[in-house]
Amino acid sequence: MAASDDAATEPVTENLAGRRDELAAQIAQHNARYFEHDEPEISDAAFDALIRELRTLVDEHPELDDWELPIYHPGGSPSATFAPVIHLVPMLSLDNAFSRDELFAWGERLDRVIVGTTFVAEPKMDGLAISLLYRDGRLAIGATRGDGVTGEDVTANVATISGLPTRLRGSSLPGVLEVRGEIYMPTTSFEELNRRQAEAEARLFANPRNAAAGSLRQKDSSVTASRDLALFCYQLGAKEGGPRLRTHTETLSWMRELGFPVNPLIDQHDDLESVYGFCHSMEEQRHTLGYEIDGVVVKVDDLAQRDELGFTSRAPRWAIAYKFPPEEKTTKLLGIMVSIGRTGRATPFAQLEPVFVGGSTVGLATLHNEDEVARRDLRVGDTVVVRKAGDVIPEVTGPVLAERKKGRRRWKFPTKCPVCSRPLVRLDGEANHYCVNVDCPAQRVQRIVHFASRGAMDIEGLGEERVAQFVEAGLLDDAGDIYGLTAAQLVPLERIAEVSAQNLIDAIAASTSRGLARVLVGLNIRNVGPTAAKALARALGNLERIEHATPEELTAIEGVGPILVQSIQRFFTIDENRRIVDKLRRAEVGLEGPPPAVPLDTGGVSLVGLTFVLTGGMEAFTRESAQAAIEARGAKVTATVSKKTSFVVVGENPGLKFAKAEQLGVAILDEAGFTQVLHEGARPPEKPVKQAKKQAKKREGAEDG
Ligand code: IVH
């Protein structure tokens, strides 16, 4: 089991920024697994916990907020297999409530804006969201959600779903209609499909949602047709023409009339007490419905009230997803072991009788540290409660005391490292035990694994198993040795074919040009995460300068504080570290960063007082250089579009910020316009509406005169 062995967590902003980056990277990775590969690694509850932590972090530290963060971009990026479709109305996500209190807190937020609300409560289908576009009553496009703005064209595939109307019924049909719903696979069909997969020795689907997603995203629509997919519709997007709808209830009945399948369990409620009752009853029935749900979506019924409530940058204010608490199961605690991480931290973990919980089978679970084991009073042999929540890794919440046999002993933290047998020590005031031996093979392996990991040098194919194998074979002592490996050395080893040996050597060679920031992350310098590494690389440009920088030079860099300075300086005093750096140098691994910023020539243009928001890619600017050009002229760059934003600079493939800018009537600049503003300056723009009126007036005046 790979121990998660983060550096010590001092409460400094650079660590928070590090945590933010870490969360963002994890979320992006899980998003990709979920949306692009239909193969999630963690449960929804665990994923939600990551999202929540990131939201709380940026809510509490707005200086760390950034539009690029995945909380603002629900969903994955569209793939190359299917043509992109831009949704007429973006497909947003929903904010979540995880308890009765959070549901009622949402109600209070509503009460500040509207009076006298009724609600519609709907089972929250655990499938995949779909947008169906009808032109003059005929299905024109079926598209996945994608990143919310752009989805994938899966029309041929959705058209095979029974119950999905390809032609709408009725007379006064709208010219354009976007209908949103969820494609799902009924539980029995899922089980049947997995039976077939097993017979064919094909890969099994982890759960019905993955099976649905995998079945829909097929190149060959006859495969989709052979899978039993179903649909429930629950929302409208764009609508041109058709009847005037006043409430969601009316919308749903109209959708039924047009021929859309709408979940019969959807119900209207006068207050949240009644809604909560519905949530409760749904939770009790969730395993007998015949399809998977993971909560209840609660929506304001009155459409005019919805307009008043509007949206936040990520979700409508008029709806909330009440999520069921994470599933819990009991199983047997077979043993408690300890794993050693890259800093020597010894993390206890539970060995469990495998149990299916929260969407996957769990056999191991971290127990964090000695106190956590004691707090839960876990004893080997106990029946324990397991759930997946609050962390990526499953959790053992505690023992079932009623089932404890007499004579079971309390667990004691081992005094010796399970790998090198040297002492494990716990220092005063520390929660963790550490293996004192820096030469411990386990630490060695983990340090090398970290160096090669995706967040650092990203050497594909060099994971824990391989590293352990190479260390064992005496080929690797530290990360510096990676670059001395040859295919001839690897081929004789077990389980390594010639092709994979060569691929690995190629991947290693490719990693030499990842740049200084990634090298810094890989070197295991305490407290240096991606954010600090980038700042150091940008400010000082090469490893040599970082090594010899004075504390004053280092603290002058934004985001670098005294703790970081100490870690950096300590790192370079350790012989082994210097040896690694030497090896990297000799192997010509690039140890340079972007060149240090030179003062920008502003041509005397000042943009003081203006606020810019950037979205999409530009030709002549990177995000950083655009930001630098703006800031050099005294203006600010912010992450979110508001009425106070002076300009939104829109490049290729802009995000939701573009839509937001249009919605708020904020002035928009394309790349040419932006360049012009940088060269010639600008006054705060007037609101487009006013501008248009003014121009109209001017024209009138000119004609008059
Ligand atoms: S309404 C702007 N209703 O939940 C509101 N969503 O977490 C759009 N979902 O992307 C969503 N059942 O895939 C809505 N009855 C329901 C739903 C539902 C499942 C999914 C949907 C959405 C996600 C948001």
Side-chain angles (χ1 to χ4, degrees):
M1 156 166 160
S4 67
D5 198 352
D6 309 317
T9 45
E10 281 90 354
V12 283
T13 328
E14 65 232 21
N15 272 356
L16 290 178
R19 181 68 189 147
R20 173 198 61 184
D21 293 348
E22 212 169 81
L23 287 167
Q26 283 180 10
I27 292 167
Q29 189 191 333
H30 292 310
N31 260 341
R33 295 208 69 87
Y34 183 124
F35 288 102
E36 286 154 40
H37 309 293
D38 305 324
E39 215 178 61
E41 276 173 340
I42 60 171
S43 70
D44 280 7
F47 182 79
D48 286 339
L50 292 176
I51 294 274
R52 285 195 128 199
E53 186 183 342
L54 185 55
R55 274 188 195 161
T56 315
L57 188 77
V58 298
D59 286 347
E60 284 170 7
H61 301 274
E63 74 279 8
L64 296 178
D65 203 358
D66 190 314
W67 177 255
E68 303 298 328
L69 290 174
I71 41 177
Y72 299 107
H73 308 273
S77 352
S79 76
T81 319
F82 302 98
V85 175
I86 299 181
H87 303 302
L88 297 181
V89 171
M91 296 176 81
L92 297 186
S93 68
L94 294 173
D95 279 337
N96 295 322
F98 292 91
S99 63
R100 185 179 190 281
D101 282 357
E102 290 185 4
L103 178 67
F104 279 78
W106 172 67
E108 279 166 24
R109 293 198 293 279
L110 296 180
D111 288 342
R112 280 184 231 137
V113 185
I114 51 174
V115 270
T117 327
T118 54
F119 301 96
V120 175
E122 313 179 348
K124 185 170 187 303
M125 303 300 300
D126 196 7
L128 78 152
I130 192 85
S131 182
L132 304 168
L133 178 72
Y134 292 83
R135 290 190 191 281
D136 300 319
R138 284 166 191 264
L139 176 67
I141 297 174
T144 63
R145 180 165 78 167
D147 64 5
V149 174
T150 312
E152 299 167 321
D153 185 341
V154 287
T155 314
N157 295 351
V158 291
T160 70
I161 296 175
S162 72
L164 183 147
T166 47
R167 264 172 181 234
L168 302 184
R169 292 197 299 246
S171 45
S172 73
L173 293 176
V176 172
L177 185 69
E178 251 179 348
V179 174
R180 267 75 195 265
E182 199 90 350
I183 290 178
Y184 65 94
M185 187 178 283
T187 338
T188 48
S189 313
F190 162 71
E191 282 158 6
E192 173 57 31
L193 173 62
N194 259 357
R195 245 194 313 278
R196 288 207 310 255
Q197 293 283 108
E199 262 168 34
E201 292 186 6
R203 266 241 304 266
L204 300 188
F205 293 100
N207 54 44
R209 182 189 56 212
N210 297 322
S215 303
L216 188 73
R217 298 173 78 262
Q218 290 284 336
K219 275 190 204 151
D220 177 358
S221 57
S222 69
V223 178
T224 311
S226 76
R227 307 269 169 89
D228 184 28
L229 293 176
L231 167 79
F232 275 136
C233 294
Y234 46 64
Q235 200 61 47
L236 291 185
K239 167 175 171 289
E240 286 168 21
R244 218 186 124 222
L245 301 165
R246 267 172 240 104
T247 62
H248 187 55
T249 310
E250 272 178 30
T251 307
L252 293 171
S253 5
W254 182 56
M255 280 161 64
R256 281 196 186 98
E257 279 166 32
L258 293 175
F260 292 101
V262 174
N263 194 326
L265 296 172
I266 293 179
D267 217 349
Q268 214 182 0
H269 299 265
D270 287 339
D271 55 41
L272 285 184
E273 209 56 72
S274 159
V275 167
Y276 186 65
F278 179 80
C279 294
H280 216 80
S281 121
M282 280 297 118
E283 195 184 337
E284 273 172 0
Q285 294 174 57
R286 71 183 286 196
H287 295 300
T288 58
L289 295 174
Y291 47 82
E292 299 249 310
I293 63 173
D294 59 346
V296 169
V297 180
V298 190
K299 301 174 178 175
V300 167
D301 196 12
D302 187 300
L303 301 184
Q305 288 185 333
R306 285 190 183 186
D307 283 342
E308 266 179 81
L309 287 159
F311 299 83
T312 68
S313 54
R314 47 193 181 221
R317 288 201 186 83
W318 44 260
I320 197 152
Y322 173 86
K323 289 282 199 88
F324 295 143
E327 200 188 2
E328 294 190 339
K329 285 273 179 70
T330 58
T331 188
K332 212 165 216 104
L333 178 61
L334 302 175
I336 300 179
M337 325 282 253
V338 163
S339 75
I340 306 295
R342 67 187 151 101
T343 62
R345 187 161 94 187
T347 309
F349 65 92
Q351 249 192 329
L352 304 163
E353 205 166 83
V355 57
F356 191 80
V357 55
S360 69
T361 304
V362 174
L364 300 173
T366 181
L367 298 172
H368 307 288
N369 57 44
E370 183 176 26
D371 295 347
E372 287 297 308
V373 182
R375 189 172 66 76
R376 291 168 213 178
D377 186 20
L378 299 174
R379 303 184 188 191
V380 173
D382 276 351
T383 298
V384 292
V385 179
V386 178
R387 71 166 186 199
K388 277 200 174 173
D391 211 334
V392 179
I393 311 166
E395 224 183 11
V396 178
T397 54
V400 181
L401 287 176
E403 290 185 29
R404 174 174 289 169
K405 296 228 173 66
K406 267 197 197 139
R408 278 205 191 119
R409 294 165 174 245
R410 277 182 198 282
W411 181 74
K412 285 219 187 76
F413 211 98
T415 53
K416 285 186 187 156
C417 170
V419 181
C420 73
S421 300
R422 298 282 299 277
L424 292 177
V425 297
R426 179 176 175 182
L427 298 177
D428 278 350
E430 278 260 10
N432 297 311
H433 283 72
Y434 286 88
C435 165
V436 295
N437 175 16
V438 281
D439 285 328
C440 172
Q443 290 186 47
R444 229 168 245 294
V445 168
Q446 294 303 338
R447 284 197 294 267
I448 301 172
V449 169
H450 172 75
F451 182 86
S453 70
R454 215 180 287 174
M457 297 301 268
D458 195 10
I459 305 177
E460 203 178 317
L462 196 55
E464 185 166 345
E465 205 179 316
R466 284 263 167 92
V467 171
Q469 190 183 13
F470 299 168
V471 168
E472 174 101 335
L475 297 177
L476 292 182
D477 249 347
D478 59 44
D481 296 332
I482 292 173
Y483 295 94
L485 292 174
T486 63
Q489 285 176 318
L490 304 184
V491 174
L493 300 180
E494 252 175 71
R495 303 185 306 277
I496 300 190
E498 221 157 290
V499 183
S500 53
Q502 194 50 50
N503 285 346
L504 183 55
I505 298 299
D506 293 346
I508 291 171
S511 78
T512 56
S513 53
R514 299 266 188 264
L516 179 58
R518 278 166 172 275
V519 176
L520 286 173
V521 172
L523 283 176
N524 283 300
I525 309 173
R526 231 169 135 90
N527 302 309
V528 175
T531 309
K534 274 187 216 146
L536 288 164
R538 206 178 299 132
L540 296 171
N542 66 55
L543 193 63
E544 188 111 14
R545 279 190 67 190
I546 297 176
E547 181 177 352
H548 297 114
T550 62
E552 293 72 34
E553 280 173 298
L554 289 171
T555 41
I557 301 168
E558 200 177 308
V560 178
I563 291 166
L564 205 73
V565 172
Q566 213 181 29
S567 310
I568 293 167
Q569 299 206 316
R570 194 164 48 199
F571 177 85
F572 286 105
T573 62
I574 295 170
D575 283 345
E576 159 146 16
N577 296 337
R578 304 169 68 96
R579 271 199 300 276
I580 297 174
V581 170
D582 271 348
K583 286 182 195 169
L584 296 180
R585 219 169 251 139
R586 263 181 278 133
E588 296 182 14
V589 174
L591 301 176
E592 288 80 44
V598 281
L600 291 167
D601 179 12
T602 61
V605 172
S606 164
L607 299 172
V608 171
L610 302 186
T611 311
F612 288 73
V613 172
L614 303 169
T615 178
M618 287 189 274
E619 288 221 334
F621 297 88
T622 61
R623 216 194 134 76
E624 285 76 26
S625 71
Q627 176 156 0
I630 293 167
E631 287 171 353
R633 288 161 178 78
K636 277 197 297 197
V637 176
T638 60
T640 37
V641 181
S642 75
K643 284 189 187 137
K644 291 194 194 126
T645 308
S646 319
F647 294 105
V648 175
V649 182
V650 176
E652 287 282 306
N653 298 321
L656 286 177
K657 282 183 218 176
F658 181 30
K660 185 82 192 272
E662 286 194 316
Q663 191 189 338
L664 293 177
V666 172
I668 288 166
L669 294 173
D670 59 8
E671 184 166 350
F674 176 56
T675 314
Q676 192 181 349
V677 166
L678 290 179
H679 285 127
E680 297 169 15
R683 268 187 290 146
E686 293 174 62
K687 292 281 161 273
V689 188
K690 282 196 207 149
Q691 229 166 11
K693 273 190 196 151
K694 207 165 159 195
Q695 270 164 10
K697 242 192 203 152
K698 239 195 213 161
R699 267 200 307 275
E700 272 167 33
E703 276 158 22
D704 284 350

